[in-house]
Amino acid sequence: MSDRGDSCVSSLVFLLFCASSILGSAGLLQEPSPQRYFSALEAGRASLAFFTPQVSPGAQPFLEQIESSAEVLQDYGISVVKVNCPKEDVSRYCGKENALRKAYLFRGNILIREFPTDALFDVNSIVANVLFALLFNEVKYVETVADLQNMENVLKGKSNMVFAYVPATGTAEHRAVMEAAFVYGTIHQFVLTTEAALLKATGDDDPDESSAWLLFCHCQRATDPAQPCRRTALGHPLTLLNIHRHLKLMGAPLVTEVAEDPEKVSTVHLQLGLPLVFILSQKETYEADRRTAEFVAWQLLGKAGVALLSRDLVDLNVLHRSNVALKTPDEGIPIQYLVLEDTDEVITLVEDKNKVKQIQEEEEEEEEDEDEKENNNQDIQDDQVVEAISRDKKRELPLEQVLVLTEETFHSSLSGSPRTVVLFYASWEAVSLVVLRSYSEVAHHLKGTPGVLLSRVNCWDWPGICTQENVTQFPTIKIYQKGEQSVTYDGMWGTEELTSFILLSRVSCPLKLATMEEAEGYLRGEFPSELSSHHHPSLLGVFSTATSEAREAFEEAGNILSGHVKMGMYLEDDALALSHKYSVSPPALLLTRSRGQSVEGITLSKQSVQDMVQMIRYELLDIFPEITVQNLPRYLQLTKPFLILFTDGDISQVESKEMLKLPKGSPQQAFVACWLNLKKTPVGYGILRTYFATVPSLPVLLWVNLHVGGQVFKFPPEQSITEVNILSWLEKLQAGLETPSSTLSEEDWKPPLPAYDFLQMMDTAMPELPLHSSHHPGDMPAQQPPKIPGGDTAVQEEPSQQTMSGKVGSPGRDLCGTAPRMAAREKQGKRHSEL
Amino acid sequence: LGLALCAGNLCALSGAAFLYHDYCVLGAGPAGLQAAYFLQRAGRDYVVFERSHAPGSFFALYPRHRKLISINKQYTGKSNSEFNLRHDWNSLLSHDRRLLFRRYSRDFFPDADAMVRYLEDFASLLELRVQYNTAIIHVTLERNGQAWNGHYFLLTDQDRKNYKCSSLLVATGTWVPNVVNFPGSEHVEGYETVSTNPEDFAGQTVLILGRGNSAFETAENILGVTNFIHMVSRSRVRLSWATHYVGDLRAINNGLLDTYQLKSLDGLLEGDLEDLAIIKDKKGKLHVTLRFYLENRNISAGIDSITLPQDELDNFATRAPYDRVIRCLGWKFDFSIYNRSLRMMPGKGNIKKYPQIKPSYESRGTRGLFVLGTASHSVDFRKSAGGFIHGFRYTTRAVHRLLENRHHGVPWPCTVYPITQLTNSIIKRVNEASGLYQMFSVLADIILLRENATAFEYLEEYPVGVLAELEMQTGRKAPSGLFVIIMEYGRNFSGADKDVFYYNRAVGEAQHAWQSNFLHPVIYYYKCLPTEREMSLRPPEWPLPRPDAIHHIVEDFLTDWTAPNAHILPLRRFLENCLSTDLRSFFAESCFLFAFTRQKLPPFCQQGYVRMQGLVGSEGLRRHAVQAGLLQDYTLTDFSGDTSPASHDRSQDQLLKDQVIPLRPLQHLVNAKDE
């Protein structure tokens, strides 16, 4: 039980009684004598009293139960009082021996009921019976079918009825119904029975008499006196939370009309963890759609919400044929748009979803019980990088090849070697430690490579150097050319990429080639010799002496791309001859993608450095690349949809040939045609599973709108992958004639788990802190400790105390503990489903 | 006619004989030199006036017994120069590594002469512009609409030479000894002149007035040779290790407490010095009595006619006569040189020895007049270190930065980072920053979030008292909320009468971090900049008004806040929840998966992987992440494919839980430490 809600009432009761009473166990009040008790009773207030002689002769279990129910009853404004009987007292309540074995319920000083102790065997029975006695107006007890029908007829057109069957009174179910009646009794008529015969009359053919049952009867909208009210059964066990949920659902509008983006729509149903079905409507068919929606809504009442969405008002990026959408309460699952034939399909869809969900929830609940004990997972590392590093921290890194630099040695080392690579890192920072590991591998690869010195600076030890070298983030890798300016590495933090960068940056970029032989050798990948063992595309800029502007831009671009691209430059007199050989004229680029491939000639038309860099990057992209973890970003930058073939192993010759035709045939700007080798990039399985739940048969060709809308379309597996088939499929896609197999989640990246709420802890522990005032009056539901009247007046003058005095003064205060508690429980329930 | 107008001083004031500088600094002590250093580095037009012939004249005389009580730690086990400043209380800030105090003395508590040498070197090596032998004896204002602050400061020195400045930085310290006047106070010797030779006290009985470090230092010096020493002061002794305030009585000086409590004749007494009276008898012995007994009597009538307290109360504590009475009552600011128009007012209550200033260190009475150094201690008196070198070296820098923004359009220096560096930038600073550490609860680092919270600006060591004026004072904007990083002691932990060694004093668990007692980092989050009003309504003892969220990094025995799970993880969760984003780091493989399966990417992938700076990682690390259940291993999966995405998530959760088990015993260890 939450203490938070109780304290409001307890403080109130405390204020009323504190002059004379002594606080017993939580919530239980004590009175020294019956006289004191009766004189303190207040008109309209209920209290449950039991009388005990000074020395109690047994009856202990009963007392214990009463004491433990005191707290609960206080939420309902009922004080539980233990009245001590002085020895000499022989009045009505103290005198008789059997009176001592009873509990008495008073409202004001009027005795409402006396309970024998055997009716109060546990907290449930005490709460149920006491509330039952107090709410005799709000909860009607019926015994016969006729009674029930009378009741229904009276209510028709006026208000709704909640009809509950409980096998016996004093049970947990009975208590739940009574507690619900306490809150909703003024809104709905509650009817209770323990007669199994009534169960049959309500339409259930084979009722299970041993379990409780609750029906919501929609009598308010019933117009035909001859027809019984529509009924919706609560399909879950009778707990306060379930009843509360059910009543909230019944209270929600049958069909919600929506005129905004369905992603943004939220209704009671979604908040309570139920799906929301959208009926997509158009102006022409609006009335018919509305009737359909209402019909579906009645069928789904209590299982899902129904909303009517006008397509004319909202610009939806979905198929025109789609007529139904399903939004699930789980965050991150995108809305499903469907083309359904009749209403039954809608209902089946929801019910199947619910079944799956129920199973999951049941499993989850088991887990959550453990979770609760674990006090959430907040303190468990959920950062894969940090966790991987801390699991690896005991391993000693092979860093013999990497020189450690200090403030003293930094400058001397830089000037002592023609080329020094420096890794700036922080020894406590996980990402830079990951890079340090890759760096040690680089050092291993480059062992013995002349002219390269690998070193590192721990910025946690030497912040001075890092500041001086303008290193503000970790990790940073800089390559210092002897005593001169440095280049900052801006590529992938991987061993391969870094090694290649260091090797490439040994050669000046662009490299000036002196002779025709060198130029040809360069294009073949044989020159310069230090790079001959590495496979980089060779890019050669050919300039006539007249084209100095383009040449300068090319040189500048070379500076920017240094380390990433192998660039050469030829500007001798016979440049014209060289370029003509590849049927271009200077200024031009000659490109060999890989050794042995033919040389492509590209005319240079762009003159600005930025354009040149862009162009070179673009030209270096493959036409039909194999997508890998490392190269994806390069293709992502094109911001085009992906036409991607997932294969298990190498791509077959046939498919490759067909696919290669595509980019050539269609305007190249339209999409990125590529393939993914699941053997080499197994994370591709993760992609397929997210799209299809299961891995479809391979190879599979997909169209993925990565940048707009996020739809995923699957090429029909029965068709063979040929250029013609693909193109006609793509046409259909563009025309909106295909249904997406999946849509990428639009979910934002929210905090994975809550943080410790220290502010709240401080408020709770030190409520006297006047800290909470201006902007957070709502944050503090009834947390004020009981105040002794005439106590610290200075404190009471604080503005923050207004919340409390406001509550004390308001009418209907008896409920003030209940509402926040209900809300709290509801919230808890929601959190469960999220977890 | 012209001569008639130009009469006396007026002439000198209005004449052309003014030497003009943008900045005038009064005093070449540590604060004055520190200010000069920053002005010099910024290329400003400034001059420092020093009445003595050398810098640090206060240290040439004080402390009388020559032992500085500011620590000079040679070794910390760390090479981080910023961190090491946390334990170097004597160095001034400079870029010159020669000017670290540990090069001037090897003593943990160095000799004051070393400080004098250090300050001389500081001024000369850095070529600071100090005008020695210039005592400014009068300061007044000249209204001028053109001036920076609507007026110029006119300074007059002992030779009637005049100077004119736009901004006046007062770093004169507190050098006027506090004296009390009571009947017989002429028999009292002052700390500033009393002999420091213990031999002069051999066999004497000494009464010391005052209870600060100077009083105890004096007592310590003569403890071994006197008959006994008594000390009188109004308030009870405040021990610095109980109050966490370095200005209170330091353990190095408290030998007398030891002998008092061990009943070795020395003793402490409480009483108001104003009520005291001292009478010299014929033998030259000094008798303590109360002013009350002397009223309406003629002292010159001789001791015999005066009633002494012991005549009525024969166990009066100080009934024994003393040979000497020494006054060690500290110093106060010299208010005398300021013209009334400057409205240099003493503070109220226990800060009356300091001039009234704002939390920006600007005088309350005069715009453009800033008080630096010891005299600026009213801002954090008995709280932080602003009255001491190791504190005011940072506040002086802060004032300099405020001035650079105000007069030269140079905004407060800041570094811009992508949001992925948020946790790191905080962790880096709380672990090494010395200004935050020394000037706890006074200087704070500020993180200003840029729109959309994809990047932020990091401002170091801003005076937190003027947080509301941040945009105006720094020239930076706070459009989308801010974090304030500050160091704090536990609110109810320290105090003059607190037991700071009680059991369970240290908090070990991150979830109870807000109850930390020792100095620890606290991060305040505001959705928008607090207003002046909110600042003024903040609860007492709170450096800042109620934030929208607050985070405490749990105190650490080693003040090393780099533990991934206890320190960094809760901080990250806090930041994530403030910004409503996911600040985890991911390997390139995860980003790859997200790029294909989600329309949005977490910031780490967005700012790294997508820009071709993905974290590829090694196979070994990948395996660790898989074992931790934080990365799915797709190479091992069965291809039957009956796992739905949901259950795949759940299997991760399952793995996550398995991982809890090894963590549990650790948790117990932490608990055990507390119990």
Side-chain angles (χ1 to χ4, degrees), chain A residues 363 367 374 378 382-384 407 429 460 493 629 685 691 693-694 709 745 748-749, chain B residues 80 97 424 572-573 585 587 590 596 599-600 609 614 630 639 641 643 650 664:
Chain A
E363 286 172 12
E367 285 170 21
E374 277 305 322
Q378 273 168 313
D382 53 358
D383 184 311
Q384 50 182 234
E407 230 154 63
E429 202 267 331
W460 168 224
W493 298 114
V629 170
Y685 284 114
Y691 292 166
T694 62
S745 161
D748 281 318
W749 286 85
Chain B
N80 187 318
R97 291 170 45 115
N424 281 350
R572 193 194 83 213
R573 295 214 190 285
S585 39
F587 287 113
S590 298
F596 268 109
Q599 296 198 37
K600 293 172 182 156
Y609 181 71
L630 295 167
F639 295 16
T643 42
R650 285 185 1 80
R664 256 186 211 144

Short mmCIF file of all heavy atoms in Angstrom, two decimals, chain A residues 363 367 374 378 382-384 407 429 460 493 629 685 691 693-694 709 745 748-749, chain B residues 80 97 424 572-573 585 587 590 596 599-600 609 614 630 639 641 643 650 664:
data_model
loop_
_atom_site.label_atom_id
_atom_site.label_comp_id
_atom_site.label_asym_id
_atom_site.label_seq_id
_atom_site.Cartn_x
_atom_site.Cartn_y
_atom_site.Cartn_z
N GLU A 363 3.63 -13.87 -18.93
CA GLU A 363 5.05 -14.19 -18.75
C GLU A 363 5.78 -13.01 -18.11
O GLU A 363 6.57 -13.17 -17.21
CB GLU A 363 5.68 -14.51 -20.10
CG GLU A 363 5.26 -15.86 -20.62
CD GLU A 363 5.73 -16.07 -22.05
OE1 GLU A 363 6.55 -15.27 -22.51
OE2 GLU A 363 5.27 -17.03 -22.67
N GLU A 367 8.10 -12.26 -14.58
CA GLU A 367 9.42 -11.64 -14.55
C GLU A 367 9.42 -10.39 -13.68
O GLU A 367 10.35 -10.12 -12.96
CB GLU A 367 9.84 -11.25 -15.96
CG GLU A 367 10.26 -12.44 -16.77
CD GLU A 367 10.44 -12.04 -18.22
OE1 GLU A 367 10.63 -10.86 -18.47
OE2 GLU A 367 10.37 -12.94 -19.07
N GLU A 374 14.25 -6.60 -7.52
CA GLU A 374 15.56 -6.09 -7.95
C GLU A 374 15.63 -4.58 -7.89
O GLU A 374 16.65 -3.99 -8.19
CB GLU A 374 15.85 -6.54 -9.38
CG GLU A 374 16.41 -7.94 -9.47
CD GLU A 374 17.64 -8.11 -8.63
OE1 GLU A 374 18.46 -7.19 -8.56
OE2 GLU A 374 17.78 -9.19 -8.03
N GLN A 378 17.74 0.06 -13.06
CA GLN A 378 18.45 1.33 -13.25
C GLN A 378 19.95 1.20 -13.06
O GLN A 378 20.72 1.83 -13.74
CB GLN A 378 17.97 2.34 -12.23
CG GLN A 378 16.77 3.10 -12.65
CD GLN A 378 16.20 3.84 -11.47
OE1 GLN A 378 16.05 3.27 -10.39
NE2 GLN A 378 15.91 5.10 -11.65
N ASP A 382 23.47 -0.69 -19.25
CA ASP A 382 22.81 -1.06 -20.50
C ASP A 382 23.49 -0.39 -21.69
O ASP A 382 22.90 -0.27 -22.75
CB ASP A 382 21.32 -0.72 -20.46
CG ASP A 382 21.07 0.72 -20.08
OD1 ASP A 382 22.06 1.44 -19.81
OD2 ASP A 382 19.91 1.14 -20.04
N ASP A 383 24.69 0.06 -21.48
CA ASP A 383 25.46 0.61 -22.58
C ASP A 383 26.42 -0.48 -23.04
O ASP A 383 27.32 -0.89 -22.30
CB ASP A 383 26.21 1.86 -22.11
CG ASP A 383 26.95 2.53 -23.24
OD1 ASP A 383 27.67 1.82 -23.97
OD2 ASP A 383 26.84 3.75 -23.38
N GLN A 384 26.23 -0.96 -24.26
CA GLN A 384 27.02 -2.11 -24.72
C GLN A 384 28.50 -1.81 -24.76
O GLN A 384 29.32 -2.68 -24.47
CB GLN A 384 26.52 -2.57 -26.09
CG GLN A 384 26.39 -1.46 -27.10
CD GLN A 384 25.84 -1.96 -28.43
OE1 GLN A 384 26.44 -1.73 -29.45
NE2 GLN A 384 24.71 -2.63 -28.42
N GLU A 407 53.76 15.19 -21.13
CA GLU A 407 53.97 16.61 -21.37
C GLU A 407 55.44 16.88 -21.71
O GLU A 407 55.75 17.73 -22.52
CB GLU A 407 53.57 17.39 -20.12
CG GLU A 407 52.63 18.53 -20.40
CD GLU A 407 51.78 18.88 -19.19
OE1 GLU A 407 52.32 19.29 -18.14
OE2 GLU A 407 50.56 18.72 -19.30
N GLU A 429 37.38 6.54 -20.17
CA GLU A 429 36.26 6.74 -21.09
C GLU A 429 36.16 5.55 -22.03
O GLU A 429 37.11 5.21 -22.74
CB GLU A 429 36.48 8.04 -21.85
CG GLU A 429 35.23 8.63 -22.41
CD GLU A 429 35.00 8.19 -23.83
OE1 GLU A 429 35.98 7.91 -24.54
OE2 GLU A 429 33.83 8.10 -24.21
N TRP A 460 43.66 12.25 -19.45
CA TRP A 460 43.35 12.28 -18.02
C TRP A 460 44.65 12.55 -17.24
O TRP A 460 44.63 13.20 -16.21
CB TRP A 460 42.69 10.97 -17.62
CG TRP A 460 42.56 10.71 -16.14
CD1 TRP A 460 42.83 9.53 -15.52
CD2 TRP A 460 42.11 11.60 -15.12
NE1 TRP A 460 42.59 9.64 -14.18
CE2 TRP A 460 42.15 10.90 -13.90
CE3 TRP A 460 41.70 12.93 -15.12
CZ2 TRP A 460 41.78 11.47 -12.68
CZ3 TRP A 460 41.34 13.50 -13.90
CH2 TRP A 460 41.37 12.79 -12.71
N TRP A 493 36.28 4.18 -36.65
CA TRP A 493 37.23 3.79 -35.62
C TRP A 493 37.50 2.28 -35.69
O TRP A 493 37.24 1.56 -34.74
CB TRP A 493 36.71 4.13 -34.23
CG TRP A 493 36.49 5.60 -34.01
CD1 TRP A 493 35.29 6.22 -33.80
CD2 TRP A 493 37.48 6.62 -33.92
NE1 TRP A 493 35.48 7.56 -33.62
CE2 TRP A 493 36.82 7.84 -33.69
CE3 TRP A 493 38.87 6.62 -34.03
CZ2 TRP A 493 37.49 9.05 -33.55
CZ3 TRP A 493 39.54 7.83 -33.91
CH2 TRP A 493 38.85 9.03 -33.67
N VAL A 629 28.82 -3.13 -42.67
CA VAL A 629 28.70 -2.21 -41.55
C VAL A 629 29.58 -0.98 -41.80
O VAL A 629 29.19 0.15 -41.55
CB VAL A 629 29.12 -2.91 -40.24
CG1 VAL A 629 29.25 -1.92 -39.11
CG2 VAL A 629 28.12 -4.00 -39.89
N TYR A 685 20.64 -10.52 -40.51
CA TYR A 685 19.54 -11.35 -40.00
C TYR A 685 18.66 -10.54 -39.07
O TYR A 685 17.44 -10.70 -39.03
CB TYR A 685 20.08 -12.57 -39.25
CG TYR A 685 20.60 -13.65 -40.18
CD1 TYR A 685 21.95 -13.98 -40.19
CD2 TYR A 685 19.73 -14.33 -41.02
CE1 TYR A 685 22.43 -14.97 -41.04
CE2 TYR A 685 20.21 -15.33 -41.87
CZ TYR A 685 21.56 -15.64 -41.87
OH TYR A 685 22.02 -16.61 -42.70
N TYR A 691 11.93 -6.92 -39.93
CA TYR A 691 10.95 -6.68 -40.99
C TYR A 691 9.85 -7.74 -41.01
O TYR A 691 8.70 -7.45 -41.17
CB TYR A 691 11.63 -6.69 -42.36
CG TYR A 691 12.58 -5.53 -42.64
CD1 TYR A 691 13.46 -5.57 -43.71
CD2 TYR A 691 12.59 -4.40 -41.82
CE1 TYR A 691 14.32 -4.52 -43.97
CE2 TYR A 691 13.45 -3.35 -42.07
CZ TYR A 691 14.32 -3.42 -43.14
OH TYR A 691 15.17 -2.39 -43.39
N ALA A 693 9.62 -10.70 -38.83
CA ALA A 693 9.51 -11.55 -37.66
C ALA A 693 10.30 -12.84 -37.86
O ALA A 693 10.94 -13.32 -36.96
CB ALA A 693 8.06 -11.86 -37.30
N THR A 694 10.25 -13.40 -39.05
CA THR A 694 11.07 -14.58 -39.32
C THR A 694 11.96 -14.27 -40.52
O THR A 694 11.69 -13.32 -41.25
CB THR A 694 10.19 -15.79 -39.67
OG1 THR A 694 9.49 -15.44 -40.86
CG2 THR A 694 9.21 -16.10 -38.58
N GLY A 709 9.28 7.96 -44.84
CA GLY A 709 8.17 7.04 -44.57
C GLY A 709 8.58 5.72 -43.96
O GLY A 709 7.87 5.18 -43.13
N SER A 745 10.18 1.62 -37.57
CA SER A 745 9.66 2.30 -36.39
C SER A 745 10.06 3.76 -36.42
O SER A 745 11.18 4.11 -36.75
CB SER A 745 10.22 1.63 -35.14
OG SER A 745 10.09 2.50 -34.06
N ASP A 748 11.06 7.62 -31.19
CA ASP A 748 12.20 8.43 -30.78
C ASP A 748 13.08 7.63 -29.84
O ASP A 748 12.63 6.66 -29.24
CB ASP A 748 11.71 9.67 -30.02
CG ASP A 748 11.22 10.72 -30.97
OD1 ASP A 748 11.87 10.92 -32.00
OD2 ASP A 748 10.17 11.32 -30.69
N TRP A 749 14.33 8.08 -29.70
CA TRP A 749 15.21 7.41 -28.76
C TRP A 749 15.06 8.06 -27.39
O TRP A 749 15.66 9.09 -27.10
CB TRP A 749 16.65 7.46 -29.25
CG TRP A 749 16.80 6.50 -30.37
CD1 TRP A 749 16.54 6.72 -31.68
CD2 TRP A 749 17.20 5.13 -30.27
NE1 TRP A 749 16.75 5.58 -32.41
CE2 TRP A 749 17.16 4.58 -31.57
CE3 TRP A 749 17.59 4.30 -29.21
CZ2 TRP A 749 17.49 3.26 -31.84
CZ3 TRP A 749 17.92 2.99 -29.48
CH2 TRP A 749 17.86 2.48 -30.77
N ASN B 80 48.13 14.86 -13.64
CA ASN B 80 47.17 15.84 -14.17
C ASN B 80 47.36 17.18 -13.47
O ASN B 80 47.09 17.34 -12.29
CB ASN B 80 45.76 15.30 -13.93
CG ASN B 80 44.71 16.14 -14.58
OD1 ASN B 80 44.76 17.36 -14.55
ND2 ASN B 80 43.74 15.49 -15.19
N ARG B 97 54.94 26.85 -16.16
CA ARG B 97 55.08 25.73 -15.21
C ARG B 97 56.16 25.97 -14.17
O ARG B 97 56.24 25.28 -13.16
CB ARG B 97 55.36 24.44 -15.97
CG ARG B 97 54.14 23.99 -16.77
CD ARG B 97 54.55 22.86 -17.65
NE ARG B 97 55.35 21.93 -16.88
CZ ARG B 97 55.00 20.70 -16.61
NH1 ARG B 97 53.91 20.23 -17.07
NH2 ARG B 97 55.79 19.91 -15.90
N ASN B 424 30.55 12.71 -20.81
CA ASN B 424 32.00 12.79 -20.72
C ASN B 424 32.49 14.14 -20.24
O ASN B 424 33.40 14.22 -19.42
CB ASN B 424 32.62 12.52 -22.10
CG ASN B 424 32.64 11.06 -22.42
OD1 ASN B 424 32.36 10.24 -21.53
ND2 ASN B 424 32.95 10.72 -23.64
N ARG B 572 24.42 9.39 -16.49
CA ARG B 572 23.87 9.31 -17.85
C ARG B 572 22.35 9.21 -17.81
O ARG B 572 21.65 9.88 -18.56
CB ARG B 572 24.44 8.08 -18.56
CG ARG B 572 24.19 8.09 -20.06
CD ARG B 572 24.44 6.73 -20.67
NE ARG B 572 23.28 5.89 -20.50
CZ ARG B 572 23.33 4.58 -20.33
NH1 ARG B 572 24.48 3.95 -20.28
NH2 ARG B 572 22.23 3.87 -20.18
N ARG B 573 21.83 8.39 -16.90
CA ARG B 573 20.37 8.26 -16.81
C ARG B 573 19.73 9.60 -16.49
O ARG B 573 18.67 9.94 -17.02
CB ARG B 573 19.99 7.24 -15.75
CG ARG B 573 20.45 5.83 -16.08
CD ARG B 573 19.45 4.80 -15.57
NE ARG B 573 19.99 3.46 -15.67
CZ ARG B 573 20.11 2.78 -16.80
NH1 ARG B 573 19.72 3.34 -17.94
NH2 ARG B 573 20.61 1.57 -16.81
N SER B 585 26.24 4.65 -25.87
CA SER B 585 27.10 4.51 -27.03
C SER B 585 26.86 3.14 -27.65
O SER B 585 26.44 2.20 -26.96
CB SER B 585 28.56 4.68 -26.63
OG SER B 585 28.82 4.07 -25.41
N PHE B 587 28.13 0.19 -30.73
CA PHE B 587 29.08 -0.25 -31.73
C PHE B 587 28.48 -0.02 -33.12
O PHE B 587 27.26 0.05 -33.28
CB PHE B 587 29.41 -1.73 -31.55
CG PHE B 587 30.29 -2.00 -30.37
CD1 PHE B 587 29.81 -2.69 -29.27
CD2 PHE B 587 31.60 -1.54 -30.34
CE1 PHE B 587 30.62 -2.92 -28.16
CE2 PHE B 587 32.41 -1.76 -29.25
CZ PHE B 587 31.92 -2.46 -28.15
N SER B 590 25.54 -2.11 -34.23
CA SER B 590 24.21 -1.74 -33.73
C SER B 590 23.65 -0.57 -34.52
O SER B 590 22.47 -0.56 -34.87
CB SER B 590 24.28 -1.36 -32.25
OG SER B 590 24.72 -2.45 -31.49
N PHE B 596 18.83 0.45 -40.56
CA PHE B 596 17.93 -0.28 -41.44
C PHE B 596 16.58 -0.55 -40.82
O PHE B 596 15.65 -0.94 -41.50
CB PHE B 596 18.56 -1.61 -41.86
CG PHE B 596 19.34 -1.52 -43.14
CD1 PHE B 596 20.71 -1.60 -43.14
CD2 PHE B 596 18.68 -1.34 -44.34
CE1 PHE B 596 21.43 -1.49 -44.31
CE2 PHE B 596 19.38 -1.24 -45.53
CZ PHE B 596 20.76 -1.32 -45.52
N GLN B 599 13.52 4.64 -38.16
CA GLN B 599 13.60 5.88 -38.94
C GLN B 599 14.48 6.91 -38.26
O GLN B 599 14.98 7.82 -38.89
CB GLN B 599 12.20 6.45 -39.15
CG GLN B 599 11.35 5.51 -39.98
CD GLN B 599 10.15 6.18 -40.57
OE1 GLN B 599 10.20 7.32 -40.96
NE2 GLN B 599 9.04 5.47 -40.61
N LYS B 600 14.62 6.76 -36.94
CA LYS B 600 15.48 7.70 -36.22
C LYS B 600 16.63 6.94 -35.59
O LYS B 600 16.47 5.77 -35.22
CB LYS B 600 14.67 8.41 -35.14
CG LYS B 600 13.62 9.31 -35.74
CD LYS B 600 12.68 9.87 -34.71
CE LYS B 600 11.62 10.72 -35.36
NZ LYS B 600 10.41 10.81 -34.53
N TYR B 609 28.44 7.22 -36.32
CA TYR B 609 28.38 6.26 -37.42
C TYR B 609 27.95 6.89 -38.73
O TYR B 609 28.59 6.71 -39.77
CB TYR B 609 27.43 5.13 -37.03
CG TYR B 609 27.30 4.05 -38.07
CD1 TYR B 609 28.36 3.18 -38.30
CD2 TYR B 609 26.16 3.90 -38.83
CE1 TYR B 609 28.26 2.19 -39.27
CE2 TYR B 609 26.05 2.92 -39.79
CZ TYR B 609 27.10 2.06 -40.01
OH TYR B 609 27.01 1.10 -40.96
N GLY B 614 31.95 5.54 -37.15
CA GLY B 614 31.40 4.47 -36.35
C GLY B 614 32.45 3.78 -35.50
O GLY B 614 33.63 3.77 -35.85
N LEU B 630 23.84 -7.42 -24.41
CA LEU B 630 23.59 -6.08 -24.93
C LEU B 630 23.80 -6.01 -26.44
O LEU B 630 23.63 -4.98 -27.05
CB LEU B 630 24.50 -5.07 -24.23
CG LEU B 630 24.20 -4.92 -22.74
CD1 LEU B 630 25.30 -4.19 -22.02
CD2 LEU B 630 22.87 -4.22 -22.53
N PHE B 639 18.08 -20.83 -38.08
CA PHE B 639 17.43 -20.14 -39.17
C PHE B 639 15.96 -20.50 -39.28
O PHE B 639 15.28 -20.11 -40.19
CB PHE B 639 18.15 -20.44 -40.48
CG PHE B 639 19.56 -19.90 -40.51
CD1 PHE B 639 20.21 -19.50 -39.35
CD2 PHE B 639 20.22 -19.76 -41.71
CE1 PHE B 639 21.47 -19.00 -39.38
CE2 PHE B 639 21.51 -19.25 -41.74
CZ PHE B 639 22.15 -18.88 -40.59
N GLY B 641 13.73 -19.48 -37.54
CA GLY B 641 13.09 -18.18 -37.56
C GLY B 641 11.77 -18.13 -36.84
O GLY B 641 10.83 -17.52 -37.30
N THR B 643 11.52 -16.90 -33.89
CA THR B 643 11.58 -15.85 -32.87
C THR B 643 11.05 -14.55 -33.45
O THR B 643 11.48 -14.10 -34.49
CB THR B 643 13.03 -15.62 -32.42
OG1 THR B 643 13.85 -15.67 -33.59
CG2 THR B 643 13.48 -16.66 -31.44
N ARG B 650 13.00 -9.84 -25.58
CA ARG B 650 12.85 -10.43 -24.26
C ARG B 650 14.05 -11.32 -23.92
O ARG B 650 14.47 -11.39 -22.79
CB ARG B 650 11.56 -11.22 -24.18
CG ARG B 650 10.37 -10.29 -24.07
CD ARG B 650 9.02 -10.92 -23.87
NE ARG B 650 9.00 -12.36 -23.77
CZ ARG B 650 9.29 -13.01 -22.67
NH1 ARG B 650 9.62 -12.38 -21.60
NH2 ARG B 650 9.25 -14.32 -22.67
N ARG B 664 25.40 -8.92 -7.69
CA ARG B 664 24.82 -8.90 -6.35
C ARG B 664 25.83 -8.87 -5.21
O ARG B 664 25.73 -8.03 -4.34
CB ARG B 664 23.88 -10.08 -6.19
CG ARG B 664 22.44 -9.61 -6.29
CD ARG B 664 21.52 -10.75 -5.98
NE ARG B 664 20.30 -10.59 -6.74
CZ ARG B 664 19.62 -11.59 -7.26
NH1 ARG B 664 20.05 -12.82 -7.12
NH2 ARG B 664 18.53 -11.36 -7.90
#
